[in-house]
Amino acid sequence: MLRTSTFLAFFLIGLGLLTAQKGNISSLQIKDIMQGDAFVGPRPSNAHWATDSKTLYFDWNPDGSLSDSLYAYSVSTKDTKKIDFLTANSLPSSRLIYNQDKTQAVYSKNGDIFLLDLNTYQSKPITKTQARESGPHFTDNGKSIAFEKNDELFTWNIASGLLEQKTRFVKSKNKEPQRDSKDEWLYQDQLEIFDVLQERKAKNDRGEEISSQLEALEPLEIETKGKPVINLEIDPSGSFITYVLMDRPDSKGTIVPHFVTESGYTEDQNTRSKVGDEPTEYEMFIYDIKARKSYPVVLDNLEGLDYIPEYTKDYPDKTYENDNRIGFINGPTWNSNGTKAVLDIQANDYKDRWIVLLDPKTGKVEQLDRQHDEAWIAGPGIGRWGGGSLGWMPGDDKVWFMSEKTGYSHLYTVDIDSKKTDALTSGSFEIYDAFLSTDKDRWYFTSNKTHPGDRQFYSMKLKGGKWEQLTNKTGRNDVVLSPDEKKMAILYSYSNKPTELFIKDNPVETGENKEAEQITHSNTDEFKSYDWKDPEIITFNASDGAEVHARLYQPDASVKNKAAVIFVHGAGYLQNAHKWWSSYFREYMFHNLLVDNGYTVLDIDYRGSAGYGRDWRTGIYRHMGGKDLSDQVDGANMLKEQYGIDSDKIGIYGGSYGGFITLMGMFNAPETFSAGGAIRSVGDWAAYNHGYTARILNTPATDSLAYKRSSPIYFADGLQGDLLILHGMVDDNVHFQDMVRLSQKLIELGKENWEMAVYPVERHGFVEPSSWTDEYTRIFKLFQKSLLGKE
């Protein structure tokens, strides 16, 4: 039994635990595999092309520097070289905004704006200031460049070099206090009595008339009433400026104290508020520059604005209030000539997404598509925190977008006149990262069509039809096309093969689908010395009949100990039972170590995971710790029935959402799990943030039932097995306070079979190898002792 008697016992810093690997018979050592990239090798990332398609740039760190550096691969010579800092700083950004005929591009870098000539591939700075300029885009039919500076919009004329301020936002237009009735009478009486005052007033009035005439030549003064201005943009023709005023209510934040500091004093960090904030209000406006008037975008004709969520039926005595459902307004996305624009609007309760057509001359909108979900709107290309993927089709008569209307995220178009919607793709799989070719003749996108855990890159004709698969290696293929679309840079990985950078000709251009050439070789000798396991992707039936995908690691019969560990990935909406190198690569290596020691390991894509469509995604709605937990229990039962695992030798562990499920498993399924390691766990969803939690559980004030059945703190009395809690003390995502509250509950309940290890300098994502080593040494010892009886 694990025991603790005082809060000081949470600080488990004994050397015995730090070196506790007595029973480890694997050639892998926890201290080594927890070094991260220093053990595995540096991974290439952020691949992007030079605008002439002759050079491929990427970030890499093969020489073990303090941080990644920029590397360049030459297509002609096939040489790879490191780019020095000053040269790298002078290169164009990887994020270019093109003009209509793609002869020029504009970009921002280090707070300044640059213009790139695509014929000469030469850049020149437009700004060089201490202020920060951002959001560059072409306007005035390509003759000028617009950008934002100090929350105002400016344009720079390419030919003349004229810099012009286009907006003038003020908190209030009231420059003089208004006189009450008494003072107004005195004012008029003075003018009537004294001629000199009348003469002076006439002169002042004339001066103000002249000032008004001069002011009419300046940008219109627009009142904000102190609200922040966001999404500031001018249309392609230079006629209309759109902006959004944001009104965010004050919410009390949480203080996270830092105890280990350079100053030697405790320092407080102010972090996020808790779920249940009053919704932020967004109002969009249009400034007609020529007419010198500003007017609101009218959104009162959107379908379902009066929608009342179904869950409110569980609270018949409670009045539901949400007078303004308009949430974040993304856009506008303008057509080529700036006559029409598309807005992507989310509801503040996350249950609607509207795609609307905006008429800039009137501010009125027409609804093109409404996506509604009783749970919450999300999915690949649909947007979670902001807008989704969409754009204009060639000819500007249709808009393309992503939707889950069939249960999986797919490509659609809608005619802006008839409002007729057509599906370009369909099937029980997802589409990712769709974009149009440069000539607007075809689509490129990634999909998991072949298997939920396999992502390939495809091309398809503009109007849909047969797909052409352009990659051919099982795993994950993240492709970046060269600007001329003749070459494909591929960040590729497989289950036991970390990400490397490859290059190949685009089969669409050559008509041949050849093997890709590997550019980087990143693995260390230490990593290559071990025969890393290729976990089997299996499926099993959940108790409700659903088919669950999982990674299975099996030990050799000679060392099998009939014990099993179930790993629970984090983030909720994330996928880990796949065929590519996991973002949980330390955990993957730890699973290899466990298997060497005789454990069977199961890694489940439980309900709520990504990659399996809408119903799987929303399977946790209003009950986290429901089907996502029962999937773990069903997986454990499958291990007992099919793989000879003893019922009293099953452990569970995970971080963040995985830590939450671990707590729920230890509290609500004690007959299944004998031990659990809960890392950076959520103990009470009412203490987590609004943007994530309110999508799934609504808010504590409106849906208290969902929070009480989803939060581990309410079920702590069910603890029977051995529980290890591990948490960073400066975690500004899942606050350490959450686990302090849970520890107090366990103390009050008289529970003794639990311990807590805290990490004074770690946030949510651990950084220090020593912390990772300590954490996983404790988890290994927990399973050794609780499942196998080894000290």
Side-chain angles (χ1 to χ4, degrees):
M1 294 280 286
L2 299 175
R3 296 183 180 276
T4 184
S5 57
T6 67
F7 187 82
L8 291 176
F10 300 160
F11 296 86
L12 304 174
I13 57 174
L15 290 177
L17 274 178
L18 291 176
T19 59
Q21 295 185 54
K22 295 178 182 178
N24 180 20
I25 62 174
S26 173
S27 62
L28 298 173
Q29 298 297 310
I30 293 176
K31 185 177 180 180
D32 294 333
I33 63 178
M34 292 301 154
Q35 301 302 306
D37 284 348
F39 176 78
V40 178
R43 302 340 305 171
S45 63
N46 190 31
H48 58 283
W49 290 89
T51 50
D52 61 3
S53 300
K54 295 179 180 179
T55 305
L56 175 62
Y57 295 105
F58 56 96
D59 295 332
W60 201 26
N61 188 17
D63 52 6
S65 302
L66 291 176
S67 61
D68 286 359
S69 298
L70 186 68
Y71 281 74
Y73 171 82
S74 171
V75 173
S76 58
T77 67
K78 297 187 177 182
D79 291 332
T80 299
K81 65 178 182 180
K82 185 177 180 178
I83 306 299
D84 66 83
F85 175 78
L86 291 178
T87 302
N89 190 58
S90 67
L91 291 173
S93 166
S94 59
R95 298 182 177 182
L96 302 177
I97 306 298
Y98 296 93
N99 63 356
Q100 192 68 25
D101 55 8
K102 292 205 169 182
T103 57
Q104 294 177 314
V106 66
Y107 62 92
S108 62
K109 191 169 186 178
N110 301 326
D112 289 311
I113 308 297
F114 297 82
L115 177 64
L116 176 66
D117 187 313
L118 294 176
N119 293 316
T120 64
Y121 305 111
Q122 296 296 312
S123 292
K124 70 175 180 179
I126 295 173
T127 66
K128 192 72 174 176
T129 70
Q130 292 299 306
R132 188 169 189 85
E133 293 90 17
S134 61
H137 52 283
F138 287 94
T139 186
D140 190 22
N141 299 313
K143 299 175 184 177
S144 299
I145 292 167
F147 59 88
E148 189 175 341
K149 175 181 176 181
N150 296 329
D151 298 324
E152 302 283 4
L153 190 78
F154 293 79
T155 59
W156 179 81
N157 185 275
I158 297 173
S160 68
L162 175 66
L163 180 66
E164 183 178 359
Q165 182 172 337
K166 290 291 188 177
T167 60
R168 184 166 48 134
F169 294 106
V170 296
K171 289 184 178 181
S172 174
K173 290 184 178 180
N174 295 326
K175 298 179 181 178
E176 294 183 3
Q178 297 294 315
R179 292 183 287 270
D180 60 21
S181 58
K182 179 188 72 174
D183 290 342
E184 180 64 25
W185 185 90
L186 287 173
Y187 173 77
Q188 295 296 338
D189 188 55
Q190 291 292 96
L191 290 177
E192 185 178 339
I193 293 173
F194 299 106
D195 293 341
V196 66
L197 294 182
Q198 292 182 36
E199 293 173 0
R200 290 179 177 179
K201 182 178 184 306
K203 290 180 181 179
N204 287 337
D205 289 347
R206 178 55 183 159
E208 289 181 3
E209 288 180 15
I210 295 173
S211 296
S212 296
Q213 293 173 357
L214 293 174
E215 191 172 300
L217 303 176
E218 301 295 325
L220 177 68
E221 196 174 66
I222 299 174
E223 187 176 34
T224 67
K225 298 182 180 179
K227 299 175 184 178
V229 179
I230 62 172
N231 287 16
L232 185 56
E233 187 175 335
I234 191 169
D235 79 295
S237 70
S239 302
F240 303 99
I241 293 174
T242 57
Y243 61 96
V244 173
L245 295 184
M246 180 176 67
D247 187 7
R248 176 177 291 165
D250 291 334
S251 298
K252 184 177 181 180
T254 301
I255 294 174
V256 173
H258 292 232
F259 292 95
V260 180
T261 62
E262 293 181 3
S263 69
Y265 292 89
T266 300
E267 299 173 5
D268 290 340
Q269 176 188 357
N270 292 316
T271 65
R272 60 161 176 82
S273 60
K274 303 182 189 300
V275 61
D277 296 339
E278 288 296 316
T280 300
E281 293 185 358
Y282 300 91
E283 298 175 276
M284 190 173 209
F285 295 84
I286 297 173
Y287 168 31
D288 185 327
I289 299 173
K290 186 175 181 180
R292 291 184 56 77
K293 63 179 181 179
S294 178
Y295 42 91
V297 173
V298 182
L299 300 175
D300 57 8
N301 62 339
L302 300 185
E303 180 184 351
L305 283 178
D306 58 352
Y307 166 73
I308 297 177
E310 286 78 0
Y311 75 85
T312 59
K313 295 175 183 176
D314 289 346
Y315 306 93
D317 298 328
K318 186 184 295 185
T319 302
Y320 179 78
E321 295 182 0
N322 191 0
D323 297 332
N324 180 8
R325 292 188 65 226
I326 299 298
F328 190 78
I329 305 172
N330 190 67
T333 300
W334 293 96
N335 64 359
S336 57
N337 59 16
T339 57
K340 297 284 185 181
V342 175
L343 304 179
D344 187 349
I345 304 168
Q346 290 188 357
N348 59 21
D349 57 15
Y350 313 112
K351 301 181 189 303
D352 273 294
R353 176 196 185 197
W354 297 276
I355 298 173
V356 302
L357 189 67
L358 171 67
D359 181 353
K361 295 180 180 179
T362 64
K364 294 181 180 180
V365 301
E366 296 178 64
Q367 183 173 298
L368 297 177
D369 185 76
R370 178 196 179 194
Q371 297 170 28
H372 175 75
D373 199 310
E374 179 182 333
W376 75 98
I377 291 288
I382 297 172
R384 185 169 174 183
W385 309 114
S389 301
L390 56 75
W392 288 88
M393 295 290 284
D396 289 345
D397 58 341
K398 293 182 179 181
V399 171
W400 69 266
F401 61 95
M402 305 286 288
S403 174
E404 274 187 331
K405 64 177 59 180
T406 63
Y408 292 83
S409 185
H410 282 287
L411 267 170
Y412 293 83
T413 62
V414 57
D415 188 289
I416 64 172
D417 294 320
S418 68
K419 311 300 187 292
K420 183 179 181 294
T421 299
D422 292 315
L424 300 184
T425 62
S426 62
S428 299
F429 49 83
E430 307 270 41
I431 301 293
Y432 305 87
D433 305 322
F435 63 95
L436 287 169
S437 60
T438 302
D439 61 9
K440 309 295 183 183
D441 185 51
R442 64 177 54 247
W443 290 97
Y444 289 104
F445 53 81
T446 303
S447 178
N448 62 355
K449 182 180 181 180
T450 56
H451 184 277
D454 180 42
R455 293 194 187 178
Q456 302 292 334
F457 190 61
Y458 297 89
S459 179
M460 179 183 71
K461 284 295 186 180
L462 185 66
K463 296 182 179 180
K466 184 180 179 180
W467 299 13
E468 181 179 0
Q469 185 174 323
L470 306 181
T471 49
N472 44 29
K473 296 170 73 70
T474 299
R476 179 158 181 162
N477 297 268
D478 292 329
V479 176
V480 182
L481 280 182
S482 59
D484 62 9
E485 297 184 355
K486 293 180 179 180
K487 296 284 185 179
M488 295 163 47
I490 309 170
L491 286 167
Y492 168 77
S493 70
Y494 184 66
S495 301
N496 59 357
K497 298 176 182 178
T499 304
E500 298 284 11
L501 184 58
F502 292 74
I503 190 170
K504 67 179 288 186
D505 292 333
N506 182 359
V508 171
E509 298 290 328
T510 64
E512 296 181 275
N513 199 337
K514 297 182 178 180
E515 287 294 318
E517 177 185 352
Q518 186 171 340
I519 293 176
T520 61
H521 298 270
S522 309
N523 297 340
T524 65
D525 291 339
E526 292 80 6
F527 181 83
K528 289 187 289 187
S529 67
Y530 181 82
D531 185 15
W532 296 98
K533 297 165 182 61
D534 183 0
E536 181 184 1
I537 304 297
I538 66 167
T539 60
F540 63 88
N541 289 327
S543 52
D544 64 353
E547 185 181 65
V548 184
H549 287 74
R551 272 186 171 190
L552 177 67
Y553 304 73
Q554 294 192 72
D556 290 337
S558 61
V559 297
K560 185 172 182 177
N561 55 27
K562 294 187 177 183
V565 171
I566 293 180
F567 171 66
V568 190
H569 70 68
Y573 191 62
L574 182 144
Q575 187 176 6
N576 208 46
H578 50 61
K579 299 180 182 181
W580 62 81
W581 185 248
S582 175
S583 58
Y584 291 93
F585 66 95
R586 289 182 179 86
E587 289 80 353
Y588 164 78
M589 293 188 289
F590 182 60
H591 297 161
N592 278 258
L593 181 148
L594 288 176
V595 171
D596 288 347
N597 282 278
Y599 291 90
T600 300
V601 179
L602 189 66
D603 178 356
I604 300 171
D605 272 345
Y606 51 87
R607 236 63 69 93
S609 298
Y612 306 94
R614 180 267 171 196
D615 290 349
W616 202 262
R617 174 179 65 79
T618 61
I620 57 174
Y621 179 57
R622 298 191 70 205
H623 193 183
M624 296 150 89
K627 290 181 179 180
D628 45 358
L629 174 58
S630 65
D631 286 343
Q632 317 296 329
V633 174
D634 292 336
N637 291 334
M638 180 270 300
L639 291 177
K640 290 185 289 185
E641 295 169 3
Q642 300 181 29
Y643 294 93
I645 301 302
D646 288 347
S647 60
D648 59 349
K649 291 183 178 180
I650 301 177
I652 186 171
Y653 89 100
S656 194
Y657 199 99
F660 151 72
I661 288 293
T662 297
L663 292 175
M664 292 295 270
M666 296 300 293
F667 298 163
N668 286 343
E671 71 287 348
T672 301
F673 303 110
S674 299
I679 310 168
R680 45 189 173 273
S681 317
V682 174
D684 184 353
W685 285 109
Y688 197 51
N689 70 39
H690 185 87
Y692 178 90
T693 320
R695 282 172 162 81
I696 305 171
L697 300 181
N698 305 306
T699 68
T702 62
D703 199 0
S704 57
L705 292 174
Y707 281 81
K708 289 190 175 180
R709 64 181 166 223
S710 299
S711 298
I713 198 167
Y714 294 104
F715 303 100
D717 192 38
L719 178 64
Q720 295 179 22
D722 296 330
L723 173 63
L724 174 63
I725 299 171
L726 310 105
H727 213 101
M729 293 182 71
V730 293
D731 191 332
D732 47 12
N733 181 15
V734 180
H735 298 144
F736 178 55
Q737 178 194 21
D738 206 358
M739 286 301 99
V740 174
R741 293 176 65 238
L742 180 61
S743 68
Q744 177 61 30
K745 186 64 177 178
L746 292 169
I747 291 169
E748 291 179 5
L749 290 169
K751 300 293 182 180
E752 297 182 351
N753 50 328
W754 64 283
E755 289 179 344
M756 186 189 303
V758 299
Y759 300 88
V761 299
E762 297 292 0
R763 299 181 186 272
H764 196 61
F766 280 22
V767 174
E768 301 300 329
S770 58
S771 300
W772 281 101
T773 300
D774 181 273
E775 184 177 45
Y776 277 83
T777 299
R778 297 181 190 280
I779 293 172
F780 180 71
K781 183 177 181 181
L782 168 72
F783 294 144
Q784 289 284 89
K785 183 177 181 181
S786 299
L787 304 184
L788 302 180
K790 296 182 179 181
E791 290 295 336

